[in-house]
Amino acid sequence: VSVNDYRRQNSNGHSLYKMMGDTIKSTAKEDEVVFLDSGGSFVNAFGEVIPHIAFYAGRNIASWKQDDSPQALLESNSVNRGIVFKLVKIGKQYRLQHRYIERQGVLSKAN
């Protein structure tokens, strides 16, 4: 499994991972929990965000799930706000969009 994950993750180089990590690094504040809504992409066999993105972001990134786990993660880290990133394709280019969440629910949306 590990060898197959490595081959799949490194088959196209690291430029997309670097762009994603750099965007997360420059956008997310230190007091926010960072999530990646990847739709099943950019995660390893265990459902965790691949380490390449976390490396370039310089921080831990949780995989976004549509259940109570984001709220629980915010509470366990004693923070009131998180930021959810999602890679979207616009025309022929990819863009990493984000939105904010609070313990009570969605706060706002941003591009």
Side-chain angles (χ1 to χ4, degrees), residues 20-36 49-62 73-74 77 79 81-83 85 100:
M20 292 173 71
D22 288 346
T23 301
I24 291 168
K25 187 179 211 174
S26 66
T27 307
K29 296 177 182 166
E30 288 190 29
D31 63 342
E32 295 173 332
V33 175
V34 177
F35 298 93
L36 179 62
V49 175
I50 59 172
H52 306 66
I53 299 169
F55 171 79
Y56 289 118
R59 62 186 301 158
N60 291 332
I61 303 170
L73 192 54
L74 292 177
N77 282 284
V79 297
R81 187 160 115 158
I83 185 168
F85 289 90
Y100 296 97

Side-chain angles (χ1 to χ4, degrees), residues 7-102:
R7 286 181 180 159
R8 182 176 51 81
Q9 293 166 10
N10 291 286
S11 62
N12 294 323
H14 291 263
S15 61
L16 182 59
Y17 304 143
K18 181 166 180 17
M19 180 278 294
M20 292 173 71
D22 288 346
T23 301
I24 291 168
K25 187 179 211 174
S26 66
T27 307
K29 296 177 182 166
E30 288 190 29
D31 63 342
E32 295 173 332
V33 175
V34 177
F35 298 93
L36 179 62
D37 183 356
S38 65
S41 301
F42 309 110
V43 294
N44 63 20
F46 304 104
E48 301 163 344
V49 175
I50 59 172
H52 306 66
I53 299 169
F55 171 79
Y56 289 118
R59 62 186 301 158
N60 291 332
I61 303 170
S63 182
W64 175 256
K65 298 177 182 129
Q66 297 290 348
D67 58 16
D68 293 337
S69 59
Q71 294 295 324
L73 192 54
L74 292 177
E75 289 181 29
S76 69
N77 282 284
S78 300
V79 297
N80 291 322
R81 187 160 115 158
I83 185 168
V84 182
F85 289 90
K86 184 173 186 171
L87 188 68
V88 295
K89 188 174 183 179
I90 301 172
K92 293 183 179 182
Q93 294 185 338
Y94 286 95
R95 183 169 181 193
L96 196 60
Q97 295 181 337
H98 66 277
R99 64 185 170 103
Y100 296 97
I101 60 168
E102 285 187 334

